[in-house]
Amino acid sequence: MSSAKVTWKNEQSPVKDPAIVAFQRSSEGSSAKVGALGNASANNNTKLSSVLRELGVVEKLLPTYGFLQCANRQGRLFFHFSEVATDADSLRVGDLVEFQQSADRRTGKPVAVSIVRIPNGNLVTYEIMSEKTVMGTVLAEAKASKNQGSEGEAPGLLDGMGRVTYEQSGETFFLPFALEDIDGGQKITAGDTVEFYISTDERNGNIRARQVRKVRPIVADLFQGVVCSLKENYGFIERSDVVKEIFFHFSEFQGDIEMLNLGDDVEFNIQFRNNKEVAVNIQQLPEGTVVFEDVATERKRGKILKTLKSVHGRMQSDPLAGRIVYETLKGSIEIPYGDRDQLGDYTLQAGDIVEFYIATDRRDKLQRATNICLIDVTFTISGETREKGFVTTLKDAFGFIRCLDRDTRMFFHFSELLNQDEPQLQDEVEFTVIQDPTNPSRLIAIRIKVLPHGTISVEQCLPEKYVGTIEKEVQSPKTATGKTGVSDIGIIMYDISGTKQTIPYSAKALVECCSPKNGDQVEFQICESRKNNTKTAANVRITSVKTASKSQNKEQGSAVVVKESAAKESNAKEQMTKEKGFVAVLKENCGFIEMADHEKEVFFQFCNFDGNASELELGDEVEFILSHKTAKVSAESIRKLPRGTVAPEEVIPGVLEGKVVRMMRIVNPDQVEYSGLIQLVEKEAEGGGNGTEACYPYGITSLVDKRDVPQKGELVRFKAAVVKSSGKQRAARVVPLRLVMRGKVDSLKGQMGAVICEGEEGRKVSFHVSEVQDGVDLQLGDEVDFLIVRKQATGKCVALNVRRTSERQRPERLMSRLKSATDDAGPRIVTLRQPRGPDGTNGFKLQRSASRQI
């Protein structure tokens, strides 16, 4: 062996490029092999000793010819059996031969001549073995070769071969091995840790694993963390030992990847690939195993020193930009907080007094304030101007407040509520007014506190007393018919600076038990209602009773009889004109009632409802009187009725399917007809449609979900019903047939959110928190099912009936823990080139798909 060869053994890595290794080894050993084998060939044919001879291996044999593979150079030569010095039938594939290269006289191509078979005792190997063993992992088992090849041909290289992988200098390599390469006949399966030599065939540069044997795996360090991001086929884990994220591929998860969700606790090992840390051998842990921080049980009180928003109202880049200062025995301490550490999304201002807990990160001992809430003493100490009012309008995620102290409506967002998730109409509230940061010309309400009912005094009685005359008597609370709770409005006429004016009063405003009669003189005070800016008479007291002569008494007696008769007729008429219907639309302070015959609707004001109008719901059955005070008919004296009272229906058994060909007028005000229309869809098995399909009208009471109104062209499932009073058929229990979509929660802000539709990358639809089913508190990344509906008014699509499908949600500790790691904590992983797998593909074929089909 030459000194150069020895030097290679001592200094070169066993995993050096196999092609370079083969070239070096073959170039050094060529002359030695030729010299050694030349002596043997000289004994068989002395006349060839003076000619340049080469070594080769029989690669393929056919009936009268074959092919040789040159041993010391790249080359494949044809030979004829006539050129074999011995019996050509004794040649076998793989035999070592000596030959001379010549040229074919007809074609000029190189051929092998003067072929001499080398005796078996002089066989030499053409494989170069690595000096040291290599550790690796079995990816695929070796199996018996199925292709034995045709006569005189060796089986394919990859037929039945196993696969083993190993790492060197941050790169991953894959090698084949066969059953004969396993040392000692051991049973080796996928996943086993093995030790082997790397063999290089100097004839063609092929490499493979040799002398493979199983070894006891090295126990690697285990790390824990929480899955914080999931992409198409990879993700990231937030580590519990350092403030850092680590990359992982789905193929490294030991289990069904469909069961891995955001927020899952996991355990893993770390390997270096391309000089980057990656997580491998990932196993799922029970929920709550990984803990990032310890939260103190003692509640602290401090003052906001710095808010999360800059002077321009924008969020700062620092994830823990907020600062709170609190007092201790050792002095003042300043502690940071982030945007997820506040209980609620209302506005915090510098100087606010807050209460909070201290959370300490186990990894870097960083302390921050969490569970921050504003306390009421803030407004007392700071002297902040607070106003009061009533909630008068509610939209998707915002509303308007009517102020008591100013003649205006104040905009507010639901996120500004301090003590309630969602306001109700007519709620009494206290709030602060500031300039809108996005629109300097507008004022908005922030830091809104819902007050107990009755806190705000909406009626204020003026101290002045007035004298007037009864123009219209008030009906006593208990009428002659024995009905209680029915009251009417009386009218008082009085004079102010020579101007005749009238003011209404009710029976509750009477100080005395007896009710004043027409013409009686009374004393009263004016009561102003700040709730609806109306004036009524209060503390009504009789000062003088109108007297009359005998003749007048007689006339009055006959007039009383006439009045009583007229009153009876009026009462009878009133009883005859009472109508019934269903609440079809509810707006800010008014609505519409669908008549009992389902043919039209009538307008009504909340003030004409006998009770709390905020308790009304769509579909409620009511009784009312039609009023013709203006050009438009409206409903008054509205009273709620028990369910089943108005227009009872008999549902016909059997479920039908149809298509909405006309919407209700409450959805499309431009149409003339009030009721919607559903056309029955005949099944093809029954002969299909012939243009005469039956149509069923429907109204608000026909819908199972009164808020889910079907749109024109949508398919619905319903039942036919017969109205008992009229015998007409109409649709009942109507349910829209919509495609259930799946997606992930992409954003949450206040009362609104957005989901990304699965399979439609980039498409987002918004939803209101009221559409979330089962009262679930959604988090970012949650998988949800939902329905998509296009709003008739705006033309935009929104999500309805949002239901979370993932069994576990992302834990709050990940939502509250904002990443504080910087570039100094370690480089982020950036893919520069895609790896290649053992089969020559791009690798990483495992895709993440939906856990169930919808």
Side-chain angles (χ1 to χ4, degrees):
M1 182 178 294
S2 66
S3 61
K5 189 169 186 179
V6 174
T7 301
W8 180 86
K9 291 182 180 178
N10 294 336
E11 296 181 0
Q12 297 300 320
S13 170
V15 291
K16 194 171 181 180
D17 190 332
I20 298 175
V21 175
F23 176 77
Q24 290 177 341
R25 297 290 296 272
S26 61
S27 62
E28 295 174 2
S30 297
S31 60
K33 292 177 183 176
V34 172
L37 297 174
N39 295 330
S41 63
N43 296 330
N44 298 323
N45 192 353
T46 57
K47 69 176 181 178
L48 299 177
S49 59
S50 60
V51 182
L52 179 60
R53 306 284 289 176
E54 294 186 60
L55 293 176
V57 178
V58 178
E59 183 187 61
K60 190 172 185 180
L61 291 174
L62 294 172
T64 59
Y65 62 93
F67 290 90
L68 297 177
Q69 178 71 43
C70 299
N72 300 320
R73 62 185 175 88
Q74 292 292 331
R76 187 172 182 261
L77 301 177
F78 169 87
F79 72 92
H80 195 272
F81 282 0
S82 61
E83 294 294 335
V84 180
T86 59
D87 184 10
D89 294 335
S90 63
L91 283 179
R92 295 290 181 267
V93 172
D95 282 351
L96 184 65
V97 296
E98 187 182 49
F99 64 94
Q100 176 185 348
Q101 180 175 323
S102 181
D104 190 287
R105 287 177 292 182
R106 293 181 300 169
T107 62
K109 294 182 180 180
V111 295
V113 298
S114 304
I115 301 169
V116 178
R117 182 172 177 270
I118 304 300
N120 292 335
N122 293 327
L123 282 176
V124 293
T125 179
Y126 291 92
E127 289 185 328
I128 303 173
M129 303 291 287
S130 60
E131 298 295 330
K132 297 179 181 179
T133 58
V134 180
M135 297 287 292
T137 304
V138 176
L139 294 181
E141 300 178 29
K143 301 179 181 179
S145 176
K146 297 180 180 179
N147 179 21
Q148 300 301 328
S150 59
E151 183 180 357
E153 186 175 358
L157 176 63
L158 299 180
D159 185 31
M161 301 289 273
R163 294 293 181 275
V164 63
T165 179
Y166 69 98
E167 288 189 7
Q168 183 70 24
S169 301
E171 292 196 52
T172 303
F173 298 92
F174 302 91
L175 294 179
F177 70 96
L179 287 176
E180 58 267 21
D181 296 323
I182 300 176
D183 195 8
Q186 293 178 327
K187 176 62 176 176
I188 293 180
T189 59
D192 287 347
T193 301
V194 293
E195 185 180 45
F196 55 91
Y197 289 92
I198 298 176
S199 168
T200 304
D201 192 327
E202 64 179 358
R203 297 170 297 178
N204 49 29
N206 291 336
I207 58 175
R208 64 191 292 175
R210 292 287 195 183
Q211 301 181 26
V212 183
R213 58 179 177 272
K214 188 188 302 185
V215 297
R216 179 175 296 179
I218 300 175
V219 179
D221 293 333
L222 288 175
F223 299 87
Q224 292 183 344
V226 174
V227 178
C228 61
S229 176
L230 288 174
K231 303 297 183 181
E232 179 120 5
N233 51 18
Y234 65 93
F236 291 88
I237 298 172
E238 185 175 357
R239 294 171 57 173
S240 63
D241 57 327
V242 293
V243 184
K244 190 177 181 182
E245 293 180 357
I246 186 170
F247 169 89
F248 76 96
H249 189 268
F250 285 176
S251 60
E252 294 293 345
F253 181 67
Q254 307 297 314
D256 185 4
I257 192 62
E258 303 298 338
M259 302 303 295
L260 188 66
N261 296 304
L262 285 174
D264 282 355
D265 297 342
V266 292
E267 188 177 57
F268 56 92
N269 302 119
I270 294 179
Q271 289 184 1
F272 279 88
R273 294 178 181 173
N274 296 327
N275 296 322
K276 305 290 185 180
E277 286 185 333
V278 296
V280 297
N281 302 326
I282 303 168
Q283 294 185 354
Q284 202 166 6
L285 296 175
E287 184 179 3
T289 303
V290 181
V291 179
F292 288 102
E293 57 192 16
D294 299 313
V295 181
T297 57
E298 180 184 1
R299 194 159 184 82
K300 301 286 187 179
R301 178 173 290 192
K303 181 169 66 175
I304 299 292
L305 189 64
K306 179 183 178 183
T307 63
L308 295 173
K309 294 183 178 180
S310 64
V311 293
H312 302 289
R314 298 178 180 177
M315 296 296 293
Q316 302 184 37
S317 58
D318 185 0
L320 295 176
R323 296 292 185 271
I324 297 175
V325 61
Y326 67 100
E327 299 294 332
T328 65
L329 296 176
K330 297 181 180 180
S332 299
I333 296 180
E334 187 177 313
I335 188 171
Y337 70 93
D339 65 345
R340 291 289 180 178
D341 293 318
Q342 180 182 335
L343 295 178
D345 295 325
Y346 49 83
T347 302
L348 286 177
Q349 296 179 341
D352 286 346
I353 308 300
V354 294
E355 289 186 347
F356 59 93
Y357 292 104
I358 296 178
T360 305
D361 196 299
R362 291 183 175 184
R363 300 169 289 184
D364 56 6
K365 305 305 178 184
L366 174 68
Q367 288 189 332
R368 62 184 178 84
T370 188
N371 296 334
I372 304 169
C373 67
L374 185 67
I375 56 177
D376 293 339
V377 71
T378 295
F379 307 119
T380 304
I381 296 176
S382 64
E384 182 176 317
T385 302
R386 303 283 284 173
E387 298 189 21
K388 295 180 180 180
F390 296 90
V391 177
T392 58
T393 305
L394 291 177
K395 299 294 184 181
D396 286 342
F398 63 92
F400 290 89
I401 299 172
R402 188 176 58 78
C403 304
L404 291 180
D405 300 327
R406 61 176 81 194
D407 188 18
T408 184
R409 293 197 316 164
M410 199 68 61
F411 172 88
F412 76 96
H413 198 279
F414 288 0
S415 60
E416 289 292 340
L417 291 170
L418 297 178
N419 56 351
Q420 191 170 324
D421 293 334
E422 188 170 350
Q424 303 294 329
L425 287 174
Q426 303 303 320
D427 272 352
E428 302 174 16
V429 293
E430 183 183 61
F431 54 92
T432 301
V433 177
I434 66 167
Q435 190 178 54
D436 189 349
T438 61
N439 186 2
S441 63
R442 184 175 69 167
L443 299 177
I444 60 173
I446 62 170
R447 300 147 75 95
I448 303 167
K449 180 182 179 181
V450 179
L451 303 175
H453 184 68
T455 302
I456 300 177
S457 176
V458 297
E459 294 184 352
Q460 181 181 8
C461 288
L462 302 179
E464 295 84 2
K465 293 185 178 181
Y466 299 87
V467 176
T469 304
I470 300 296
E471 283 291 315
K472 178 183 177 183
E473 298 179 19
V474 66
Q475 188 177 3
S476 63
K478 189 170 183 178
T479 62
T481 59
K483 294 183 180 180
T484 60
V486 179
S487 61
D488 199 0
I489 301 298
I491 302 295
I492 299 175
M493 180 176 288
Y494 65 105
D495 184 279
I496 294 183
S497 301
T499 303
K500 296 288 184 180
Q501 296 189 14
T502 59
I503 188 171
Y505 75 98
S506 64
K508 295 180 181 179
L510 300 176
V511 176
E512 301 170 343
C513 298
C514 58
S515 177
K517 305 297 182 182
N518 288 340
D520 288 350
Q521 192 175 30
V522 294
E523 183 185 66
F524 63 94
Q525 291 175 286
I526 295 178
C527 185
E528 294 181 345
S529 175
R530 293 188 290 178
K531 188 173 183 179
N532 48 22
N533 292 326
T534 59
K535 294 181 179 180
T536 58
N539 301 325
V540 179
R541 185 191 305 273
I542 301 175
T543 57
S544 63
V545 179
K546 181 180 179 181
T547 57
S549 60
K550 292 184 179 180
S551 60
Q552 287 176 335
N553 288 337
K554 289 182 180 180
E555 291 177 358
Q556 281 184 344
S558 60
V560 167
V561 173
V562 173
K563 285 184 178 181
E564 289 180 353
S565 175
K568 290 181 180 179
E569 291 179 2
S570 177
N571 289 337
K573 183 178 180 181
E574 213 171 72
Q575 294 294 330
M576 293 295 294
T577 56
K578 281 189 176 181
E579 302 286 348
K580 295 179 181 179
F582 308 89
V583 177
V585 178
L586 291 173
K587 296 187 177 181
E588 298 175 12
N589 49 16
C590 61
F592 287 88
I593 298 174
E594 180 180 311
M595 301 291 285
D597 58 2
H598 308 289
E599 296 296 334
K600 60 182 179 179
E601 79 277 10
V602 62
F603 173 81
F604 76 97
Q605 295 275 3
F606 283 178
C607 60
N608 291 319
F609 177 69
D610 187 10
N612 186 1
S614 62
E615 297 177 357
L616 280 176
E617 296 180 358
L618 295 176
D620 282 349
E621 301 179 13
V622 293
E623 184 182 57
F624 56 93
I625 298 175
L626 292 177
S627 172
H628 301 270
K629 292 181 180 180
T630 62
K632 293 184 178 180
V633 180
S634 61
E636 295 183 353
S637 302
I638 305 166
R639 185 168 62 91
K640 197 172 180 179
L641 298 176
R643 290 190 177 277
T645 305
V646 181
E649 300 173 346
E650 182 179 352
V651 179
I652 302 174
V655 179
L656 304 175
E657 290 189 5
K659 181 173 69 172
V660 177
V661 295
R662 186 179 71 202
M663 295 184 296
M664 295 184 295
R665 189 161 60 195
I666 59 176
V667 180
N668 183 18
D670 297 333
Q671 71 182 31
V672 178
E673 300 84 357
Y674 169 74
S675 61
L677 203 61
I678 298 175
Q679 186 180 56
L680 186 64
V681 176
E682 298 289 349
K683 297 181 180 178
E684 294 182 1
E686 299 175 355
N690 53 7
T692 59
E693 289 84 352
C695 292
Y696 294 83
Y698 73 96
I700 190 67
T701 58
S702 304
L703 306 178
V704 174
D705 185 355
K706 306 297 187 295
R707 298 175 58 187
D708 189 5
V709 180
Q711 306 295 313
K712 185 176 181 180
E714 281 191 332
L715 295 177
V716 294
R717 183 177 289 119
F718 66 98
K719 289 188 175 183
V722 177
V723 182
K724 293 183 179 180
S725 59
S726 62
K728 295 181 179 179
Q729 284 194 354
R730 62 194 307 268
R733 302 178 186 178
V734 179
V735 177
L737 298 178
R738 299 191 179 103
L739 179 64
V740 178
M741 303 290 292
R742 165 163 284 194
K744 286 187 178 180
V745 178
D746 179 67
S747 63
L748 291 170
K749 186 175 182 181
Q751 301 297 306
M752 297 299 294
V755 293
I756 299 179
C757 299
E758 189 175 81
E760 301 181 31
E761 187 173 353
R763 184 187 182 189
K764 295 181 182 180
V765 290
S766 61
F767 67 92
H768 191 267
V769 293
S770 61
E771 294 293 340
V772 180
Q773 304 297 307
D774 305 326
V776 175
D777 185 15
L778 290 178
Q779 302 289 349
L780 295 179
D782 281 350
E783 295 182 356
V784 292
D785 287 345
F786 55 93
L787 304 174
I788 292 183
V789 175
R790 185 179 298 275
K791 283 190 172 183
Q792 183 72 18
T794 63
K796 295 182 178 179
C797 292
V798 296
L800 302 179
N801 299 336
V802 182
R803 187 183 305 275
R804 191 178 70 194
T805 58
S806 52
E807 297 181 358
R808 297 166 58 189
Q809 58 180 321
R810 192 173 187 181
E812 184 61 26
R813 62 176 178 271
L814 279 186
M815 302 300 295
S816 61
R817 173 63 186 180
L818 294 172
K819 308 299 182 297
S820 59
T822 62
D823 293 338
D824 296 334
R828 295 189 64 86
I829 295 175
V830 179
T831 303
L832 297 180
R833 63 177 176 82
Q834 293 294 335
R836 289 194 173 272
D839 55 356
T841 65
N842 290 335
F844 289 172
K845 293 200 237 179
L846 184 59
Q847 299 290 330
R848 182 175 177 85
S849 58
S851 57
R852 64 184 180 89
Q853 297 295 328
I854 299 176

